Amino acid sequence: MLVNLKTVLDLAEKGNFAVPAFNVYNMETAMGAVQAAEEMRAPAILQIYPRLFKEEAGYYLSPVVVAAARKATVPICFHLDHGPSELETSRALRWGATGIMLDGSTLPFEENIALTKRVVETCAYTDVQVEGELGHVGTVNGEQMDEFTTPEDAKRFFEETGVACLAVAVGTAHGRYKKPPKLDIERIRAIREATGGKPLVLHGGSGVPDEEIKKGVAAGIRKMNFATDICYAFLDSCLEELQKPDRAIAVDNFMKKPIEAVKEFCKTRILLVGADGKADV
Ligand code: 13P
């Protein structure tokens, strides 16, 4: 069933786990992610990068995600990932998103608060909740990772914006790490405490050692993002299929294995974040 961000976050809070948030890029990655959630009886989030909302691709992909979520027998939220402005957040709402991320993390603190608050208010009209970002989670490609989120700022951000959850900078980055990251677990705990136990989000899940992710979830991460590794699961399987002399040529048949590969990858992440069997907590 298609549910809003609050519904899956509430399940995570009640069950002490993190909702896995899978970035999807086409119908096949969406199918793999939803099939994994159904097989594991897990709530999940399917999210789309903001650039797709600026391109035709988002117009086609959004109905696919909505259809997959509606058909699913587990709670699925359709989320905009890293929306930078009201152009993307408005389009995402129009195309059926039930969760919105407004990423104002590169703006000065006060501007981040003002923009996020405005988007929270607009989204509330349609019962859609918002994820904010504070302390910039960059990419693995050379950006400084020294803007860690402070507990005091996080407290103020929650109070003044009304976000449902907050992406925090605690040691991760987007993309493939050159060396495995170590999370600042103490900081996650301190932010949770300062905010009265609000749901926190960890970006850059691909390549984070399993033990680190488990510690992060135990410390209060309630939404855990995976994108790059989904691309690898899908593309590696496509490449493998292409090598086979008897490969299917009809694209729908060819895609069966890559869909399966995405599903199997997502199942491992669902287990890791403790979301298996939590669809009906
Ligand atoms: P990765 O690509 O590193 O898994 O990051 C996912 C993410 O945080 C998307 O916003």
Side-chain angles (χ1 to χ4, degrees):
M1 66 226 59
L2 177 66
V3 301
N4 62 17
L5 183 60
K6 180 178 186 309
T7 303
V8 287
L9 290 173
D10 284 352
L11 284 173
E13 207 52 72
K14 212 160 127 198
N16 280 318
F17 65 95
V19 188
F22 300 121
N23 282 72
V24 297
Y25 304 81
N26 55 8
M27 181 178 80
E28 289 75 14
T29 46
M31 285 173 75
V34 167
Q35 287 172 9
E38 290 217 272
E39 282 188 21
M40 305 296 284
R41 302 302 305 155
I45 295 170
L46 265 54
Q47 52 189 21
I48 302 183
Y49 279 136
R51 65 169 180 266
L52 294 176
F53 287 96
K54 283 187 127 174
E55 298 165 359
E56 226 177 349
Y59 174 80
Y60 293 115
L61 183 54
S62 297
V64 167
V65 174
V66 169
R70 287 220 170 106
K71 185 169 173 293
T73 55
V74 291
I76 304 283
C77 167
F78 167 28
H79 193 62
L80 164 67
D81 192 21
H82 289 290
S85 76
E86 284 161 294
L87 184 154
E88 292 82 358
T89 60
S90 306
R91 283 190 185 172
L93 283 177
R94 174 153 169 74
W95 294 346
T98 52
I100 293 286
M101 178 179 188
L102 188 284
D103 178 359
S105 62
T106 55
L107 298 172
F109 188 51
E110 301 297 335
E111 283 176 41
N112 187 1
I113 287 184
L115 177 59
T116 306
K117 184 170 187 282
R118 202 160 64 231
V119 170
V120 167
E121 285 166 1
T122 310
C123 288
Y125 294 134
T126 49
D127 198 20
V128 168
Q129 298 76 35
V130 175
E131 170 185 351
E133 179 165 325
L134 186 63
H136 182 57
V137 183
T139 69
V140 293
N141 300 322
E143 278 181 62
Q144 290 273 315
M145 287 207 290
D146 55 2
E147 289 176 48
F148 280 20
T149 313
T150 69
E152 303 74 40
D153 284 353
K155 178 175 187 290
R156 228 192 107 195
F157 195 86
F158 267 110
E159 285 170 358
E160 293 190 22
T161 60
V163 289
C165 58
L166 181 65
V168 288
V170 291
T172 55
H174 297 96
R176 278 231 151 153
Y177 298 97
K178 292 180 184 85
K179 71 176 197 322
K182 218 171 137 36
L183 303 185
D184 189 341
I185 301 293
E186 272 317 306
R187 187 178 293 270
I188 299 173
R189 280 204 199 97
I191 297 171
R192 277 282 280 191
E193 208 178 301
T195 59
K198 293 282 191 196
L200 304 180
V201 183
L202 195 61
H203 282 242
S206 300
V208 178
D210 288 2
E211 281 315 306
E212 291 289 302
I213 289 184
K214 280 190 191 156
K215 282 192 255 169
V217 174
I221 296 299
R222 293 290 171 256
K223 172 177 180 275
M224 182 74 229
N225 288 6
F226 302 98
T228 306
D229 279 347
I230 291 180
C231 298
Y232 278 102
F234 179 76
L235 293 175
D236 286 351
S237 172
C238 288
L239 288 172
E240 203 179 305
E241 286 307 295
L242 281 170
Q243 311 299 322
K244 295 182 181 164
D246 61 342
R247 69 175 181 264
I249 294 300
V251 176
D252 58 323
N253 285 329
F254 180 92
M255 283 297 166
K256 287 190 171 139
K257 282 274 163 55
I259 292 171
E260 189 75 16
V262 170
K263 180 177 85 177
E264 290 308 317
F265 169 74
C266 292
K267 282 166 72 174
T268 68
R269 300 304 88 180
I270 288 170
L271 274 177
L272 180 62
V273 298
D276 54 304
K278 302 285 174 44
D280 321 293
V281 176

